[in-house]
Amino acid sequence: MEYRILIVGSGAREHAIARSINKTQIDHQLFCIASNKNPGIINICDELILGDIENVDFIVKNAIQKKCNLAIIGPENPLSKGVVNRLKENNIPSIGPTKDLAQIETSKSFARDLMKEYNIDGLPIYQSFTSMNGVKECLANHGENYVLKYDGLAGGKGVKVSGEHIFNHEEALDYCQGIISSNGKFVIEEKFIGEEFSLMSFSDGKTLKHMPVIQDHKRAYEGDEGPNTGGMGTYSDKDHSLPFLNKEDVNKAKETNEKIVRALYKKFGERYIGVLYGGFMVTEDGVKVIEYNARFGDPEAMNVLTLLETDLLTIFKSMVSGDLDSADVKFRNQATVCKYAVPIGYPTNPAKGSSVDVSMIADDEVISYGSVNTQNDKIILAGSRALCITELGDTIAEAELVVEEKISKVKGSLFHRTDIGKIELINKKIERMNKIR
Ligand code: GLY
C-alpha cells in the first residue's frame, strides 16, 4: 500500500519529521501544509501547499484532495481546533490527539485536574481561576514562590514565574486581571526549584515507547538570561539521559507519561495516538511535572529524530494500528546537541527579509530550516527561529564542537547561543543540582 502522508506545519520540527519519514523504504508520497516556503521541506516533499496551518477546513480539504491516508500534526494550534477529529471523521488517521485529549497541552487547568483526579505524582499545589475572587489570598499563601499560567495556548508566553518574569504581587494581580478582562482563565501554582528536562514518548494509547531525555534552553541569551523563546538549543547524553539526572528520575518521568496516557483513556475512553511531551523538573523532592505538550518539542524533535535508528513511518503505522508494543524503537547511543540560529532582535524585535547563506556548510543533512522562505533561490528570514544545526558525538562536548563550528559559518543577521552544550554550563547545572538535592 502506498502511504500518502500529510504533514501539517513548516518549521524545523516538521522539516526534521519530513526528513525522517523520507528515509523509509515504504512506498510513500509526502505533502505539507505550510505557512512558509521552507527550503528543506520543499526539497523533500512531493508538494508544499501554502496556507493557514490553523484552518481545519483547509487542512481537511487538502488531505481529502490528495487522498492522504496519514496525517502528522506538527504544532499544537491545529490540535486545539480539533483537526484530528475532523480528519478521523473522514477516515484519515493522525499522529496527534483529538481535541479532548489535546487538552493535556491546550488547558493548563485540565492537565492539573487530570493529575489530581488520577492521583499522578509530581503535582504542585495549584488553584484555577475564572475571576479575581480569591486571587489575592492565593498569592498571599504562596508568598514569593508562585507561577501564573494562562489556561490556554499562548505560544510559550502565557507562563510567568515569580522572580523571573513577575517581581511582586501587584504585577501578578495586573497579569491575572488582564486575563480575566479578556475572558480568559488562569492557574496559580507552587514554584518548583531545580533543573528542567523533557521526556517525549511515542504513544498508541496503550503502550508508550520513550525517547531520550532532552534539556532545552528557553532563554534567548548566554547563561540562561533574557526573554523566553520557543527554545534556543537542546542536548542529551550518550546514555539517553542528562548529566544531572539519575536512573530513578528518568524512570519517574517515564512512569508519569504512562500514567497520563492511561488517565486520558479512562477519562475519555479514547486512545492517545501521538507524541506525548512531558516537561519535568527535578527538585529536592524528586521529579515534578511542569507541563505537558501533545506533540514533538521544537528543537527536541531534532535531537531525537537524529538519534532514531528505527524507521519513523513504521513507528507511526504501529501507533495508528495500536500495536506499538511490538515495534522495536531504537535510538543510537550517542550524545546530541542542537542549536538554533535566530534573527538579530529575536524574540522581541526580530530582523526579517534579509538573506541567509549556508553555502559554507557542506553537509545539508545537519540543517533543519525553520522560519525562513525561499525566494529566487535565496533563503530569507521570516522573523522567528531561522534554522538549526544538529550533530551527534561520543560526548556532549564533541557534538557541541561540531555544531558550533558549523553554525558559526552561517552568514546573515543572526545570532545563536554559544554556551548550550558546553561543559562550563553543564557543570553549573550539575553543581546546582548537587546543592538542591
Ligand atoms: N521546546 C519546547 C516546546 O517545544 O514546547
Side-chain angles (χ1 to χ4, degrees), residues 166-365:
I166 297 263
F167 297 94
N168 52 55
H169 284 193
E170 207 167 283
E171 283 177 24
L173 288 167
D174 276 354
Y175 180 68
C176 297
Q177 183 60 61
I179 295 173
I180 296 302
S181 303
S182 45
N183 292 323
K185 283 166 65 173
F186 60 91
V187 179
I188 301 181
E189 54 184 51
E190 173 190 359
K191 176 181 168 183
F192 293 132
I193 311 284
E195 277 296 324
E196 284 190 45
F197 67 97
S198 37
L199 172 73
M200 299 183 290
S201 312
F202 294 111
S203 164
D204 69 358
K206 291 176 293 186
T207 301
L208 274 75
K209 296 277 165 133
H210 305 292
M211 305 184 211
V213 164
I214 309 285
Q215 187 175 47
D216 187 13
H217 295 73
K218 295 218 168 69
R219 299 302 193 101
Y221 312 138
E222 310 271 317
D224 290 327
E225 303 275 337
N228 266 357
T229 70
M232 294 294 287
T234 32
Y235 69 99
S236 68
D237 213 343
K238 195 177 174 161
D239 58 357
H240 297 163
S241 183
L242 293 162
F244 52 84
L245 295 179
N246 59 40
K247 266 212 170 82
E248 289 74 51
D249 299 328
V250 177
N251 286 339
K252 188 74 193 176
K254 289 179 179 173
E255 185 188 292
T256 308
N257 280 8
E258 285 160 15
K259 285 186 175 169
I260 290 285
V261 166
R262 277 207 295 276
L264 286 169
Y265 186 77
K266 281 188 194 146
K267 192 159 187 72
F268 296 111
E270 204 188 321
R271 295 193 289 128
Y272 183 103
I273 300 171
V275 171
L276 182 71
Y277 171 126
F280 298 96
M281 187 175 275
V282 56
T283 71
E284 65 170 334
D285 294 327
V287 172
K288 305 290 180 184
V289 174
I290 301 291
E291 63 173 5
Y292 266 98
N293 294 325
R295 51 172 173 80
F296 273 117
D298 182 349
E300 291 89 338
M302 272 56 87
N303 301 81
V304 294
L305 292 175
T306 309
L307 288 168
L308 186 65
E309 278 181 327
T310 313
D311 177 64
L312 183 63
L313 184 54
T314 305
I315 299 174
F316 284 169
K317 276 173 60 186
S318 53
M319 284 159 68
V320 164
S321 56
D323 54 12
L324 187 60
D325 57 337
S326 57
D328 187 19
V329 177
K330 282 199 174 126
F331 294 89
R332 282 174 193 84
N333 282 102
Q334 286 199 279
T336 162
V337 172
C338 171
K339 297 196 198 196
Y340 257 113
V342 302
I344 291 187
Y346 173 82
T348 43
N349 189 22
K352 266 192 217 178
S354 61
S355 65
V356 174
D357 178 4
V358 295
S359 58
M360 295 294 285
I361 301 178
D363 179 9
D364 206 37
E365 276 285 293

Side-chain angles (χ1 to χ4, degrees), residues 342-394:
V342 302
I344 291 187
Y346 173 82
T348 43
N349 189 22
K352 266 192 217 178
S354 61
S355 65
V356 174
D357 178 4
V358 295
S359 58
M360 295 294 285
I361 301 178
D363 179 9
D364 206 37
E365 276 285 293
V366 301
I367 309 174
S368 300
Y369 291 100
S371 175
V372 288
N373 278 298
T374 307
Q375 245 173 52
N376 305 325
D377 287 334
K378 285 204 159 120
I379 301 167
I380 307 292
L381 292 179
S384 194
R385 293 175 294 171
L387 61 91
C388 58
I389 308 282
T390 314
E391 284 284 357
L392 304 179
D394 282 333

